[in-house]
Each structure stands twice: as C-alpha cells, then as structure tokens.
Amino acid sequence: MTSPDARWRPTAALGRALVTAAVAVAAALLFGDPSLVVIAVPFVALSTLGLLHRPTRVPTCQARLDHVALHEGQGTTSRLSVTDADDAEYLTRSHGRPPYVAVRPQRGQVGALLAGPDGPAPTIELSPRRWGRRYLGDEKVALVTPWAGYRFGPVSLAGQQLRVLPTTAAYDSRADAPQPVGLVGAHRSQRPGGGTELAGIRPFMAGDRLRRVNWRVSLRTGDLHVVSTRAEEDTGVLLVVDALADHGASGGVDGTPSSLDLSVRAASAIAEHHVRSGDRVALRVVGRGRELVGFGTGARHLRRLQHTLAGLRVGDVAEADAGVLQLGVTAGTVVVVLSPMLAESIGAVAATLTRRGVPVLVVDTLPPDVRPALVTETDPEVAALAWRMRSLERAAVLRRLASLGCPVVAWRGPGTIDDVLRRLARRAGQPRVVAR
Amino acid sequence: MNAALTSVAELSRSQLVLRALIVLGPMIAVLAAGPAGHWPPWWVAAGMLALAGVFAAVPESPVGGGVMLAVLGWWAVALDDGLHPAVLVAAVALLVTHLASVLASYGPGEMPVERALVWLWVRRGAVVLLGVPLVWGLAVLLRDQPDQPGVWVVGLVAGLVTTVVAAVVLTAPQPGEDRG
C-alpha cells in the first residue's frame, strides 16, 4: 500500500480538543477566570488521552472475495485482512457502489470496533444481480486509534473483479434433436439400433440377439420375431448469440430483462440442458468480441460456455456479414439463434442456413415492451416513428423466415423450443429439396 | 440549496441525531450564561447558530475549533465571577458537541453509527466529565483564599510547556510518513 493517505494523522477532534484546552487554560490564567478552567477540564483529558495513544506501527490492509465467479443472484463476502493494527481501535470500510451488485450493509459502508490485533474486520456481503464482468470499484478503509487521536487513511484498495455467470434457469426439453448423427447419446435416431425406443417387430434375421426375441408374437405366428429399436445418438447444437446491441433496460436477475439478458440466460439454459443430455454444444457470439467456443461436451465445457457468455462484449462488428456467415455448421448440427432480430445480418444468416437444409431455430429475445433509449436532443416523436418503422421491418423479416421454414419462437423459459424441435425432427425425416 | 438538502436527506438517522447535538450544544453553552445574568444578544445567538450549523455540516472542519473558542470567548467576556453553576451546563454542552462530532467523523454521513461505539464514547464522556464538578468545587472552595505568590506564573508556564509538548508531538513524523 503506497498511497499517500497510508499514514497516521492527528484527527480534527484531537486538534479541536487541544486548541480548546490550551486557549481556555491560557485565558483563565490571563484573565483570572476559573470558569474557563472548568470548561477546559474535559478537553485537557481528551487531548492528553488522544496523544498518549499515538500509534507506532503502519497497518496494511488487503481485501479479498470468497468467490470470484458466481451465478446471478448468488452472494459472496468481501473480507478485509489487516496486519499491524495493534494501535487501532475502530475500522471503517466504505465500498464502491457498482451497478448491478447488491451490497449489504446498505451502501456498502460498515464500521466496527476491532476485537484485538488479530480480531476479524467487518465484512461486506455482495450479490451480483446481472451476468457479466463486474468491477466492484475501489474501497476505502480507515482506522482510528483509541480516544480518536489519530486516523489512518482513508486508503483506497483497488477494486476487485467478479465474473458473473448467467443464471441457470430451470429448463428442460423432452423433444428429440432433429438430426442426431453422433455415436452415442440420448436422442432417438432415424435408423435402427441398440436403443430402448420401440421401432417395431420384425422376423428374426441372422445376427439378432436372442434377448430381443418376442416370444408372444413368435408363438402366435409360428416364426421367430424380434423387437427392433431405434438407435440413440447425440447431436451437435450450435448456439448463436446476437450481441450486436442490447435493447431495453436490464433490471437484473429480479427485474425486467433486456434483450441480451434473455439471450444470454436462454443460451446458458439450452447449453446446460444439451450438455447434460450428452450432446455436443458450441457457441458463437456475434458481437464486438466475436467470442467462439467449439463443440464439446461435459461439465468443464459447460463451464467454459458460461464463462464465455459472461464475458461477451456488446457492440457492432466491422464486417458483420462475412463474420456471421462463417459459422462452420456441419451436417447433423442444430443451430439455435438467440436474437432480438433487429439486425439484418442475423436474419440473413438464419435464412441462408435454412435454405441449405440446416435445422435452424430462432429464439426471439426482444422484450415485449421495449422502447429505444433516446439520445439527448432527440425528438421523441421522430424516435417513436423510427422505432415503429424498425418494428415493421423486423416483423417482415420474421414473416420471411417463417415462410422459408425457419421457426421463430419467443423465449418463455422451460419448454420454449420443445414443440419447434419436435416439428423440426419430423420434418428432418421427410424428403426435401435443398439449395446448394 | 438542493445539494445541501440532498446531502441532509442521505444522512443516516443516527448521524442526524449527532448533527442536531452539534448544533444544540454551543447554543446551550452560550445561553447557559443567561441564568448567571448575562443573556447573549440576538446577534451573538444568531452568529453562534450559524457557526454551529456549519460545524454540524462538516464535523471535521476547523470551524469546530472556532465554535469552541467563540463559546469560551463569550464566557470570558460576559462573566466577572464565572463560578456560577451554569458553567457546569456550558461544560457539559461543549463536551457533548465535541463527542458528537467525534462520533460523526468515524465514517461517511450515510453510515449509521455503531451502537457499541456510541456506548463506548458515552462511558468515556462520563469519565472525563467527572473532573468538571471536582474542579468547579475546588474553585468555589478556593475562591475566597488569597492568591499564593507566583501561582499564576507557574500556571502560565505549565500551560505553555503543555502547549509546546503537544505541538512537538503533533508535528513529529507519523508512522508511514515520508521523512525525506
């Protein structure tokens, strides 16, 4: 700690007590007025006791968080370790007020009498209310000696950073993936195999396992019949998150969501569901950071996806069209686009992939009552008109996508995409014309 | 004006009580001279109220020292024989003002003052206040005694020595301070 404030200084109270005592005693002696000595007595005592507790050591303070990565709505504790604080009696902490972080005690200010040199310093509880990287702001710490004669600081401690992962919304889907092509997994395949889902009963062929024989049908027909099942395979899910802009005001995990809140939380929920189902999940963020996570499975991969979502950067990309279109979609991949569908490039990529025969699902994440944020000196009527025109264009894009066969659903939490995935799965089994 | 009102509205309840004590203390200390036969004129009371208001707004400012000196000055000017019991009231009022400003200075104005800290300073205040009636009683007893030769000179020298020692201690480099 090399801050110029990191030293002990006499307090204003000590100076005031000294001046009052000295002037009162001097005036009493000069004017021969004992009443001034009577008034000065407490100040003589206070200044003497304050001076007697002159500190001799320089304390050092260090704050640390119990956790540096949390989900939205979870909480952690900021602890302060103080060394060489034998001379101090009272400690005050004043934390910054970062946006989207709830602090307890309120305003992040707390003080407490120290229980001794090794006693615990007061703690501050923090709870991030929105995903993302949260800079907690500088913290000020002050120490005061007994009888308030000297104060150390307030010194600034560098703010810490918290990585806030999107909340794991309760999400489940019972729908099968449209085009499972992997080796193992939980989705019902179009081809027969060693799964558990009944495909039919057929005559026995060489190579069939004896435990597959259906004895009831075999006795009735007089020939051996076996139960055939569908194979169970995994699938690849590519999540495309539109981070070109954030529409609407975010109220945090308990408040109204912005478009990006919905996108990120929905992406996290879908990713978690598919990873737990054994599917391969990839992530592509269309935004300033152009974050990309390749296909993978497992808990570690899910953690990587969530960390990437938490660190995404909002903003336009320089060459949106070229960047967006290079998604690297392979056969058997389901593309889930999470977007408020206000950017032309996102609509274009969804349409292009649908024409190529890739199962594409658009999750509309534009909040229903969103209004554009007005720049100062903008005419509200002009802004309202512009927003209305933009909404009409958006509706036209959604209609065109629907006519191409690309379903668009608004995010409603659990079961949002079940019906759509089922329809996509049915359609995948039918013959179709694909544009090359 | 709005900024001042906003800053007052942001104060915690305990801080508001302390600020009120800071305003009331000097007023009571000055008005305590009234029962002894020296009521302050309105402009003295108004000036004191203004000074105390500034002190309450900024408890760590040097204005606090000015408030204390103004009260001392009024008592020095107003009374010829200052051993009226009202001086005890003035001493208590000034001490309460000082302690309230000490408590208010422990943290930002929005931060509530810890109950344990308040009780600690109440106990400390009671202890240092014990000397007030003792000194007052001693002064009343010795009022009619003839002055010992040189007692005032010894007292003045003692006061000067104390002041010099205090000044040396205060201006000495503190731990952590750059001595270069």
Side-chain angles (χ1 to χ4, degrees), chain A residues 7-8 10 12-13 16 18 20 23 29 35 39 41-42 46 54-55 58 89-90 92 107 109 112-113 147 150-151, chain B residues 59-60 64 68 82 98 101-102 105-106 108 110-111 114 120-121 124 132 135 152 155-156 170 173-177:
Chain A
R7 62 189 174 94
W8 290 102
R16 189 168 58 241
L18 273 171
T20 307
V23 171
L29 293 170
S35 68
I39 293 175
V41 167
L46 286 172
R54 185 170 182 266
V58 182
E89 176 190 61
Y90 194 85
T92 305
R107 297 175 185 272
Q109 295 162 346
L113 289 163
W147 295 92
Y150 293 86
R151 176 185 295 146
Chain B
E60 290 200 82
M68 300 291 177
H98 177 75
S101 70
V102 167
S105 307
Y106 268 95
E110 302 91 340
M111 189 178 91
E114 199 195 8
L120 177 70
W121 276 103
R124 285 177 177 174
V132 172
V135 172
W152 293 107
L156 192 59
L170 282 177
Q174 301 298 318
E177 198 171 1

Side-chain angles (χ1 to χ4, degrees), chain A residues 3-4 6-49 51 54-59 87 89-94 97 105-107 109-113 142 144-152, chain B residues 9-10 55 59-61 64-65 68-69 71-73 75-77 79-84 87-88 90-91 94-95 97-99 101-102 105-114 116-117 120-121 124-125 127-133 135-136 139 151-152 155-157 159 162-163 165-167 169-170 172-178:
Chain A
S3 163
R7 62 189 174 94
W8 290 102
R9 279 179 294 194
T11 60
L14 179 61
R16 189 168 58 241
L18 273 171
V19 168
T20 307
V23 171
V25 171
L29 293 170
L30 285 173
F31 301 121
D33 187 351
S35 68
L36 298 177
V37 177
V38 174
I39 293 175
V41 167
F43 294 97
V44 170
L46 286 172
S47 50
T48 306
L49 288 164
L51 289 171
R54 185 170 182 266
T56 53
R57 294 194 203 178
V58 182
D87 300 321
E89 176 190 61
Y90 194 85
L91 186 145
T92 305
R93 297 179 71 183
S94 179
R97 296 183 201 174
Q106 205 176 12
R107 297 175 185 272
Q109 295 162 346
V110 63
L113 289 163
V144 181
T145 57
W147 295 92
Y150 293 86
R151 176 185 295 146
F152 180 79
Chain B
E10 285 181 350
F55 184 25
E60 290 200 82
S61 70
M68 300 291 177
L69 295 183
V71 174
L72 288 176
W75 275 88
V77 169
L79 297 179
D80 297 328
D81 179 9
L83 288 177
H84 190 278
V87 75
L88 298 174
L94 273 193
L95 180 64
T97 300
H98 177 75
L99 295 188
S101 70
V102 167
S105 307
Y106 268 95
E110 302 91 340
M111 189 178 91
V113 182
E114 199 195 8
L117 185 69
L120 177 70
W121 276 103
R124 285 177 177 174
V127 168
V128 298
L129 209 54
L130 286 176
V132 172
V135 172
W136 179 78
V151 66
W152 293 107
L156 192 59
V157 169
T162 306
T163 307
V165 168
V169 170
L170 282 177
Q174 301 298 318
E177 198 171 1
D178 185 9

Side-chain angles (χ1 to χ4, degrees), chain A residues 181-220:
Chain A
V181 294
L183 298 174
V184 290
H187 299 293
R188 188 176 57 190
S189 170
Q190 298 298 321
R191 62 183 175 79
T196 56
E197 184 75 19
L198 179 70
I201 295 175
R202 57 170 177 75
F204 181 84
M205 289 190 300
D208 281 340
R209 293 182 178 183
L210 278 178
R211 64 184 178 89
R212 294 275 185 189
V213 172
N214 188 318
W215 294 107
R216 194 176 295 172
V217 176
S218 300
L219 285 172
R220 194 165 61 235

